[in-house]
Amino acid sequence: MARGKFITLEGIDGAGKTTHLGWLRERLEQKVGPTGHAVVMTREPGGTPLGEALRHILLHEAMDLETEALLMFAARREHLAQVIEPALVRGDWVLSDRFTDATFAYQGGGRGLPRDKLEALERWVQGGFQPDLTVLFDVPPETASARRGAAREPDRFESESDAFFTRTRAEYLRRAEEAPYRFAIVDSTQSIEEIRRQLDGIVAAL
Ligand code: TYD
């Protein structure tokens, strides 16, 4: 039986990821449904009971930067073991709101944790495993912060400065340059309709 595909969505806070999530899921279901398989929707940090507990701590409690990176990868290990790997083996597709690229972007680019430490954790936790497709919603930090606006009480990441998100965005783009075969970069300053048209093309090519 064919393995399912693993698709991740990335971007800085306010890039518009959430706007497109539900729509993209439906598109994927239309594609995968006829084969008898499901689209499993999940997120990071989170995706398992332990991961969701860690998410709450990570988003709201101050901690040492290395602790933060280790907890992101601990939640990820559990997520891979409990949710992602079993689904892909069943032939289901998995759509995850964030994955490892976010740790490189936020803890590496944004907070400045040395990349070699993150690469070591990446190898430990996932070996050579990578998403089949990563859609990166790319937007200038100023646009993103205007969109985040006063929508709600910001968490530990959403309250970061434009300078932080400039570094985060740069690391996302560097990761994309390093692995162009799995990245699709979407210019998230475009209209929702234009972005959907682009996403349609990306899904069709899968
Ligand atoms: P996010 O995915 O934006 O969810 P919501 O739309 O509900 O706010 O929130 C998750 C936050 O966690 C986001 O600010 C990025 C951060 N994050 C990291 O810093 N490192 C990681 O490895 C992951 C997965 C997320």
Side-chain angles (χ1 to χ4, degrees):
M1 189 176 63
R3 260 175 84 90
K5 290 198 187 292
F6 181 40
I7 299 154
T8 61
L9 303 184
E10 299 284 358
I12 63 174
D13 288 279
K17 201 167 43 68
T18 313
T19 307
H20 298 286
L21 199 64
W23 183 87
L24 187 60
R25 175 197 199 161
E26 278 175 30
R27 273 291 191 274
L28 290 170
E29 278 168 353
Q30 286 166 6
K31 193 179 169 90
V32 179
T35 68
H37 290 292
V39 175
V40 175
M41 174 91 185
T42 187
R43 69 172 180 181
E44 289 206 351
T48 64
L50 174 62
E52 291 294 328
L54 290 173
R55 178 187 179 93
H56 186 78
I57 295 169
L58 280 160
L59 265 49
H60 302 288
E61 280 183 32
M63 65 186 75
D64 172 80
L65 171 54
E66 305 219 355
T67 309
E68 186 175 293
L70 287 163
L71 289 181
M72 290 291 180
F73 272 107
R76 183 161 301 131
R77 183 59 232 149
E78 193 67 10
H79 194 203
L80 279 162
Q82 303 294 341
V83 176
I84 300 172
E85 285 168 356
L88 297 177
V89 167
R90 283 196 306 272
D92 290 343
W93 288 28
V94 177
L95 177 60
S96 185
D97 186 351
R98 300 192 186 280
F99 191 62
T100 303
D101 297 311
T103 316
F104 279 83
Y106 280 78
Q107 281 65 50
R111 298 225 201 277
L113 192 69
R115 195 190 301 158
D116 59 339
K117 292 195 173 177
L118 296 173
E119 284 168 348
L121 288 170
E122 182 182 36
R123 270 196 304 280
W124 180 11
V125 165
Q126 62 197 78
F129 176 80
Q130 291 292 346
D132 296 289
L133 168 70
T134 299
V135 181
L136 173 58
F137 293 93
D138 184 51
V139 81
E142 305 75 35
T143 311
S145 69
R147 282 185 186 168
R148 285 197 304 279
R152 58 178 178 184
E153 188 70 20
D155 62 38
R156 284 177 63 233
F157 299 102
E158 291 164 340
S159 56
E160 284 290 348
S161 64
D162 282 0
F164 173 90
F165 284 111
T166 298
R167 296 191 299 273
T168 304
R169 180 194 192 193
E171 177 63 10
Y172 267 134
L173 292 171
R174 192 198 64 79
R175 289 279 286 180
E177 212 169 282
E178 204 176 68
Y181 44 86
R182 72 173 169 92
F183 269 90
I185 302 177
V186 172
D187 173 359
S188 216
T189 61
Q190 302 174 104
S191 68
I192 291 180
E193 295 70 36
E194 186 50 47
I195 290 174
R196 284 184 177 175
R197 269 210 307 191
Q198 222 173 309
L199 290 174
D200 257 336
I202 292 165
V203 169
L206 263 173

